[in-house]
């Protein structure tokens, strides 16, 4: 620009037309700028081809920087496309249905498996609320109540034979990731196992009744039996009774696993139920323990009376069986602002901490000999766990070896009624 001004001044001075040459130089300069601006505007508007090359003065620098930015942009775009391609291939290869949802449940994105398993169609269903497309009540309640800690199982809306297990994970900014797996095989296996246990227990009942009948007949003619035969007879009776208890407990467990949940509207008068259970426990203890009952008289629970009786009795009877003579057993039924509690504490043998997480497994015993000797089946706490699950309750176990144990069932206040 300085060179142009000097040249214009020189030519103007020589020809005596300084103003004219200055005007000419300024106009030329402006036109050159306008040309560059025009090239730039055209390139920006069409967005095609490489940025304008060459140029003079500041424009060569502008064009050069643009060129660099563009190359950088292309490289990034290529990398992003590769990532996107890889992500698409990965999600397409994934056997699990994957859906990205907004917190309101609107579908943002889903993979091919989600199309197959949940019946979502692309792009038609993007933006739709998932509960309008997957309408199973279990799934709808799960999303509405945001119970994301555990998975939810429901049949596929496309194929009723397919059982899906879905998990939702909140992530990023108000987004949810839904992953659904096909668990049909696992489900069938679980059903086969349940049916097998139920059938075996059921089949064992008849021969067991026959055996017990004959044993009773023999008992009637005890006067004809020798001392040795009588001892054998008692042993056989004891074992037959034990087997009967195992079969009964297994059948009860099968029923708890397969039955519909207990009716919520049935009111169970827990205090009077506990009166009966503690009376039975006192009979079993035969004066060897102090058994105290402390129950809130107006506090009732809604649920299945028979199964609750079974669960509570198992806990109280366990306390008697695992507490040495002279011990104290305390049975409590009360509520606070958070929950209602059924609690059994004893001053018994206690349980080492590493056993506690496994106590509710079937046939898990800390001391097999003691369990058998006191008439245990190893199924009592498994029954307790199932009954509590069916009442949306859970079991808490605190114990110290040699000092005693506290078994507490936590019931939601929603299931309690006050009279
Ligand atoms: P079992 O019929 O063997 O008692 P349960 O399922 O009722 O089976 O209990 C599992 C195991 O838990 C028992 O074998 C026993 O070792 C332990 N247990 C249960 N209740 C108590 C208790 N009150 N004190 C100490 N140990 C207990």
């Amino acid at each position: 620009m300085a060179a142009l001004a000097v040249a214009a001044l020189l030519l103007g001075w020589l020809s005596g037309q300084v103003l004219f040459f200055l005007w000419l130089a300024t106009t030329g300069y402006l036109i050159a700028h306008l040309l560059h601006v025009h090239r730039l505007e055209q390139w920006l508007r069409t967005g095609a081809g490489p940025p304008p090359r060459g140029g003079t003065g500041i424009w060569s620098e502008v064009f050069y920087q643009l060129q660099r930015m563009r190359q950088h942009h292309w490289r990034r775009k290529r990398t992003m496309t590769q990532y996107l391609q890889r992500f698409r291939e990965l999600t397409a290869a994934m056997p699990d249905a994957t859906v990205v949802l907004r917190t309101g449940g609107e579908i943002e994105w889903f993979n091919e498996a989600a199309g197959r398993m949940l019946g979502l169609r692309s792009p038609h269903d993007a933006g739709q609320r998932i509960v309008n497309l997957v309408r199973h009540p279990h799934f709808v309640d799960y999303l509405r109540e945001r119970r994301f800690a555990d998975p939810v199982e429901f049949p596929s809306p496309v194929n009723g034979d397919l059982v899906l297990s879905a998990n939702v994970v909140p992530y990023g900014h108000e987004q949810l990731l839904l992953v659904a797996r096909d668990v049909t095989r696992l489900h069938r296996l679980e059903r086969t196992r349940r049916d097998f246990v139920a059938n075996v227990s059921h089949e064992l009942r008849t021969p067991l009744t026959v055996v017990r009948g004959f044993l009773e007949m023999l008992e009637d003619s005890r006067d004809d039996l020798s001392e040795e035969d009588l001892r054998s007879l008692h042993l056989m009776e004891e074992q037959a009774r034990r087997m009967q208890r195992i079969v009964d407990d297994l059948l009860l467990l099968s029923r708890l696993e397969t039955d519909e949940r207990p009716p919520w509207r049935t009111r169970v008068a827990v205090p009077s139920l506990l009166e009966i259970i503690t009376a039975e426990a006192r009979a079993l203890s035969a004066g060897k323990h102090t058994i105290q009952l402390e129950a809130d008289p107006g506090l009732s629970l809604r649920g299945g009376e028979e199964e609750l009786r079974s669960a509570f009795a198992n806990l109280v009877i366990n306390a008697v069986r695992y507490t040495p003579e002279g011990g104290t057993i305390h049975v409590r039924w009360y509520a606070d602002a958070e929950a209602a509690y059924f609690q059994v504490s004893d001053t018994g043998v206690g349980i080492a901490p590493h056993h506690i997480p496994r106590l509710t497994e079937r046939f898990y015993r800390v001391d097999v000999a003691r369990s058998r000797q006191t008439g245990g089946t190893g199924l009592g706490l498994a029954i307790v766990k199932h009954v509590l699950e069916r009442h949306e309750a859970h079991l808490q176990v605190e114990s110290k070896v040699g000092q005693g144990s506290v078994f507490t069932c936590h019931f939601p206040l929603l299931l309690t009624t006050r009279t």
Side-chain angles (χ1 to χ4, degrees), residues 268-283 291-301 305-317 320 329-335 340-345 388 407 409 411:
V268 182
V270 178
S272 47
L273 187 68
L274 295 182
E275 292 280 355
I276 302 170
I277 293 172
T278 38
E280 283 168 5
R282 283 190 188 111
I291 303 178
Q292 296 165 339
L293 171 64
E294 199 185 310
D296 182 336
L299 187 63
S300 301
L301 195 61
E305 173 148 10
E306 271 318 302
E307 50 191 272
L308 284 172
R309 175 203 296 272
S310 192
F312 293 168
N314 267 316
L315 290 175
V316 178
I317 289 170
V320 175
I329 292 150
H330 206 123
V331 181
R332 291 177 76 203
W333 168 241
Y334 63 101
Y341 309 91
F342 170 71
Q343 189 177 68
V344 183
S345 42
L388 294 189
F407 286 76
C409 310
F411 289 92

Side-chain angles (χ1 to χ4, degrees), residues 249 314-315 318-323 344 346 348-351 359-361 363-368 370-372 374-383 399 404-407:
D249 276 1
N314 267 316
L315 290 175
N318 271 356
V320 175
R321 289 168 47 221
Y322 296 103
T323 303
V344 183
D346 63 48
V349 292
I351 308 157
L359 288 184
T360 54
E361 285 174 22
F363 298 113
Y364 188 85
R365 290 139 162 154
V366 176
D367 181 345
V368 179
R370 192 185 180 108
S371 162
R372 292 227 172 107
T374 55
T377 60
L379 295 166
L381 292 182
I383 291 173
S399 191
S405 318
V406 184
F407 286 76

